[in-house]
Amino acid sequence: MNTLFDKIWDSHVVSLIEDGPTQLYIDRLYCHEVTSPQAFDGLRARGIKCLRPEKIFCMPDHNTPTHDQDKPIEDPVGKKQVDALAANAAEFGLKHFAMGTHDNCIIHVVGPEKGLSLPGMTIVCGDSHTSTHGAMGAVAFGIGTSEVEMVLASQCILQQKPKSMSIRIEGELRPGVTAKDIALYLMMKLTTSGATGYFVEYRGSAVKALSMEGRLTLCNLSIEMGARGGFVAPDETTFEYIKGREYAPKGEDWDNAVAYWKTLYSGDDAVFDCEVVYDAADITPMITYGTNPGMGMPIDGSIPMDTAQKALDYMGLEAGEKLLGHPVDYVFLGACTNGRIEDFRAFTSVVRGHQKAEGVTAWLVPGSWMVYDQIKEEGLDKELEAAGFAIRQPGCSACLAMNDDKIPAGKYSVSTSNRNFEGRQGPGSRTFLASPLTAAAAAITGKVTDPREFIQ
């Protein structure tokens, strides 16, 4: 039996080029402000319109500030990119979720929560973390600017079909272990190139037990293992999450959609090109120590002796050193990795009854206005304020240094984002990637702390 990846991919094949790529139909294209301007210029130069504008949604996010969003963006480059996206969407007749509206924010958060990303779809965006949408049971992957132009013009893309990989995680997660820890554990085991050339299906009892927020986090980080993308087969958890959302099917269309979605699974006899299995009980709270997401370890572990010296020099660390107790300057909760309501609930559960550590700057940034509103509705903002924290306006924030929220050179950040590359959070910044629980523990102690100390 074919894998689920085969089912979705093969059902979207328009044509096969002999000894070449596949022409693949795309159900949904998301455009943001960074990679789309040249694509639209390409259409304009050739006098081409978008073939199916109703399948394309535009949203600025990388350059969106997390304060004073009612005012013009101060950074001239960021403002130019955001303004260009608005102008291009208007010219080509595309749906535009503009900055300053409640529809705007991080596309990888908003797409699923609006019901735009659905099971069985092919979804692309000019951003590597498009794999996030795979949590909905879709084949979703990032593409380059020239490919964005290709989809704008034809609603198709030329792609080599990736190989399939099954990653099964069986058993129950221990207290204090989150989807983020699963992803960091997988990267530690497989390295940042271990899934190169593959599309990953996450399977097993531990994955099935994850909430949609957890699955979105796990799929978000697929690209950091080198994978083309990653996804989870849709099930009742998926259907319950989608039902009633703005763009979700309604009425009879809903019933028909669910009937189809229930066929989207890999059978017991499905053949994958590669299969790996892990025991959920082996996973502990994780943290990175180096300059790529694969350089991670259990939070109570020691930095491996064979760590590249260049990474150690950049991070100001030594091989064999423990990170527990290491001072922290900044804490960032947010990004398309961990900017959802479940992440804010987790963070709040740890800081409740405590106070933010003196000297720590904490940026708590929802991934969307829907998350922001839910934080208010649940009273999490009041609990966080009582502990000395403030909620910022939604945006990509300190995930990457393309807006005002930058970590200063030499400072240490415990971050729930997806990358810890040199300068990723700001020139010279030093990033420890971790879960919202670990970030919260650091925020109230001022140092790297095992979150299990605060979990009953």
Side-chain angles (χ1 to χ4, degrees):
M1 180 177 177
N2 288 342
T3 66
L4 174 54
F5 175 71
D6 291 327
K7 289 181 181 180
I8 298 174
W9 181 279
D10 294 348
S11 68
H12 287 76
V13 170
V14 176
S15 65
L16 292 170
I17 298 172
E18 188 175 351
D19 298 323
T22 299
Q23 183 185 18
L24 193 72
Y25 181 78
I26 300 301
D27 293 304
R28 192 79 78 217
L29 168 65
Y30 296 131
C31 288
H32 61 67
E33 75 276 25
V34 179
T35 57
S36 66
Q38 299 91 336
F40 284 109
D41 285 344
L43 294 191
R44 204 174 284 116
R46 293 188 289 156
I48 296 174
K49 298 293 185 183
C50 294
L51 179 67
R52 294 190 173 169
E54 73 279 5
K55 304 287 187 181
I56 303 165
F57 294 81
C58 302
M59 183 177 300
D61 53 15
H62 285 55
N63 290 289
T64 302
T66 60
H67 60 86
D68 300 319
Q69 289 186 9
D70 57 329
K71 300 175 183 176
I73 297 174
E74 293 180 1
D75 177 64
V77 175
K79 184 178 187 305
K80 184 177 181 180
Q81 289 182 330
V82 170
D83 289 348
L85 181 62
N88 285 325
E91 178 181 346
F92 288 90
L94 306 178
K95 183 69 176 179
H96 179 233
F97 298 115
M99 195 185 104
T101 70
H102 254 52
D103 290 318
N104 173 255
C105 208
I106 306 176
I107 187 58
H108 304 321
V109 177
V110 175
E113 73 182 15
K114 278 187 170 294
L116 283 167
S117 302
L118 298 172
M121 280 187 167
T122 50
I123 301 171
V124 296
C125 174
D127 182 88
S128 58
H129 294 107
T130 305
S131 58
T132 309
H133 305 267
M136 311 308 297
V139 168
F141 53 93
I143 58 176
T145 298
S146 61
E147 294 171 312
V148 172
E149 181 181 345
M150 190 185 302
V151 180
L152 288 171
S154 68
Q155 207 57 40
C156 292
I157 192 170
L158 295 177
Q159 287 282 294
Q160 293 286 354
K161 184 178 181 180
K163 295 180 290 185
S164 61
M165 174 184 277
S166 166
I167 297 181
R168 275 178 41 221
I169 305 161
E170 299 290 359
E172 285 188 39
L173 295 176
R174 294 179 176 184
V177 178
T178 70
K180 181 63 163 291
D181 298 304
I182 295 175
L184 292 174
Y185 176 84
L186 292 176
M187 286 182 271
M188 177 185 72
K189 289 291 189 180
L190 294 170
T191 77
T192 52
S193 61
T196 299
Y198 292 95
F199 219 97
V200 174
E201 180 176 349
Y202 298 102
R203 313 169 78 204
S205 56
V207 172
K208 192 171 181 61
L210 290 175
S211 64
M212 282 308 303
E213 288 88 352
R215 296 177 187 186
L216 288 159
T217 294
L218 181 60
C219 291
N220 174 270
L221 288 154
S222 303
I223 189 69
E224 310 306 340
M225 297 186 296
R228 196 72 183 91
F231 67 100
V232 178
D235 57 15
E236 292 301 328
T237 299
T238 320
F239 310 151
E240 186 62 30
Y241 178 89
I242 296 170
K243 191 173 184 179
R245 295 188 181 270
E246 184 178 353
Y247 286 87
K250 305 292 192 300
E252 187 178 340
D253 289 340
W254 169 259
D255 295 334
N256 292 334
V258 171
Y260 164 60
W261 295 340
K262 287 182 176 179
T263 70
L264 298 177
Y265 61 90
S266 295
D268 294 337
D269 57 349
V271 178
F272 294 85
D273 295 299
C274 178
E275 295 189 58
V276 291
V277 182
Y278 297 101
D279 185 346
D282 293 338
I283 306 174
T284 66
M286 298 284 294
I287 193 165
T288 62
Y289 55 84
T291 52
N292 72 56
M295 300 173 79
M297 66 182 187
I299 196 164
D300 56 358
S302 300
I303 297 174
M305 297 305 294
D306 60 354
T307 299
Q309 191 60 45
K310 182 175 184 291
L312 293 173
D313 291 343
Y314 182 85
M315 292 297 293
L317 301 171
E318 295 181 4
E321 182 179 352
K322 286 184 174 292
L323 287 185
L324 282 178
H326 193 288
V328 169
D329 304 296
Y330 283 76
V331 168
F332 171 51
L333 172 66
C336 59
T337 315
N338 283 120
R340 299 177 182 83
I341 187 61
E342 183 177 274
D343 304 310
F344 281 81
R345 291 172 184 152
F347 189 97
T348 305
S349 73
V350 170
V351 305
R352 185 179 289 124
H354 300 277
Q355 283 292 307
K356 181 176 72 68
E358 187 175 349
V360 170
T361 298
W363 290 332
L364 278 54
V365 187
S368 73
W369 282 102
M370 184 179 290
V371 174
Y372 181 93
D373 290 342
Q374 199 164 354
I375 290 169
K376 299 277 188 180
E377 290 168 8
E378 296 183 13
L380 300 181
D381 59 321
K382 299 300 182 186
E383 293 189 87
L384 291 166
E385 286 170 14
F389 299 92
I391 304 295
R392 296 171 77 88
Q393 292 179 317
C396 285
S397 186
C399 175
L400 75 173
M402 290 187 68
N403 52 72
D404 296 341
D405 299 351
K406 297 179 178 67
I407 309 299
K411 298 297 183 181
Y412 288 95
S413 163
V414 172
S415 176
T416 66
S417 51
N418 40 51
R419 286 181 174 161
N420 55 342
F421 302 156
E422 292 185 17
R424 171 73 178 186
Q425 291 195 284
S429 61
R430 293 163 165 173
T431 302
F432 301 132
L433 298 178
S435 75
L437 295 175
T438 301
I444 56 178
T445 62
K447 58 189 178 182
V448 175
T449 303
D450 191 327
R452 291 172 293 191
E453 294 182 17
F454 298 93
I455 295 170
Q456 302 299 320

